[in-house]
Every structure is written in C-alpha cells, then in structure tokens.
Amino acid sequence: LAREPGASGTVVEALMWLRIGRLEPAHGIVQDATGGIAAYVHGMLHRLEGDFWNANYWFRRARDLRLENRIRDAFGEQGRACPWDGGYDPVKFTDACERWHRHRSPEKQSPETGSTEAELQGIAGLEWEAVWENALNSLF
C-alpha cells in the first residue's frame, strides 16, 4: 500500500486484509458497497464470519457473472471440475460452507455436506485469487 497509495481504501486493500484474516479492517472498507466487486468482497467476509444469510444477500447484490465465470475458469486452469452444474455460484458455495459448518467433518467427506474442509478451502482460495485479479485489473 505504501508503494501504491491509490490502492488505500479500495477493494484491493480490503482483499489484502481478508487474505491475512483481518476481517474488521476489510469490512470497514466494503461495508457501504451497494453492488459490484466491493459487495462481493462484503459477502466473502460475512461467509468467513459464519453469517451465511448475510453473505448470500451480498452475493445477490453483487451478481457479477463475469467474475463468477472467471472463478469457474480458475477450476479448469487447475485441472479441476467446478463442483456445481452450470458454473461457479457464490450462493451455492456459501450454502456448502454452511452445511459443512453445521456438520463439521474436516477429515472426510460428510454425506450432509458433500464437501470436505480441504475442498472448501481450495474453492475459497480459487475464489479469492479470481477476485484479487479482477480487483487489480479494475484499479490499475
């Protein structure tokens, strides 16, 4: 941020805070968002907080098909299939995280969730990288 003062207070800074697990400063940057990538990041924050309903509210407000397609493409670039028919959907991902949260099964796939903790973390990493790339491209 010191080298790029134009990034201060932007979604890029919020994503940096998010990446290191500092949700409060990230939230302060995106909390007034009404749509777009900032609203999407707001949804990511609420998902991490376990506020799943609120996360999905923000994902519906953001509804960025270009970004969702970029996340879906990231699966293909890593040789992985997108876990949802029809492409990546942040609401479906949030719902999977909520199911896992209710039935925590970190070591193995649970019939209640359909996903392991490691799979969900991998999806979150792909999502963050795609959002980061999108944010950088829009800032610079």
Side-chain angles (χ1 to χ4, degrees):
L1 287 173
R3 287 185 281 160
E4 296 293 342
S8 183
T10 69
V11 72
V12 169
E13 181 182 359
L15 283 163
M16 286 193 278
W17 288 119
L18 175 64
R19 185 65 173 200
I20 63 170
R22 298 282 314 275
L23 304 185
E24 193 168 316
H27 203 205
I29 293 169
V30 298
Q31 70 184 358
D32 293 330
T34 58
I37 194 167
Y40 194 97
V41 171
H42 199 170
M44 292 169 71
L45 290 163
H46 281 289
R47 183 194 304 132
L48 279 170
E49 293 170 335
D51 187 0
F52 303 111
W53 177 91
N54 204 1
N56 283 339
Y57 167 82
W58 287 104
F59 290 130
R60 287 183 182 104
R61 291 212 49 173
R63 206 60 193 178
D64 186 336
L65 294 178
R66 194 178 66 213
L67 177 59
E68 292 170 24
N69 287 336
R70 175 65 199 112
I71 297 166
R72 183 203 63 229
D73 292 346
F75 282 96
E77 291 165 9
Q78 291 207 351
R80 297 169 53 186
C82 188
W84 298 282
D85 293 335
Y88 180 78
D89 183 336
V91 171
K92 288 180 182 177
F93 177 44
T94 300
D95 292 345
C97 291
E98 182 176 17
R99 285 191 305 277
W100 180 87
H101 185 75
R102 275 198 229 124
H103 304 282
R104 293 177 193 199
S105 179
E107 300 84 24
K108 59 184 178 154
Q109 182 171 338
S110 163
E112 294 88 2
T113 67
S115 302
T116 66
E117 180 180 22
E119 288 170 333
L120 295 173
Q121 288 174 339
I123 294 167
L126 285 174
E127 178 188 53
W128 185 92
E129 289 173 15
V131 173
W132 172 255
E133 183 181 300
N134 190 312
L136 285 178
N137 289 338
S138 67
L139 184 63
F140 300 109

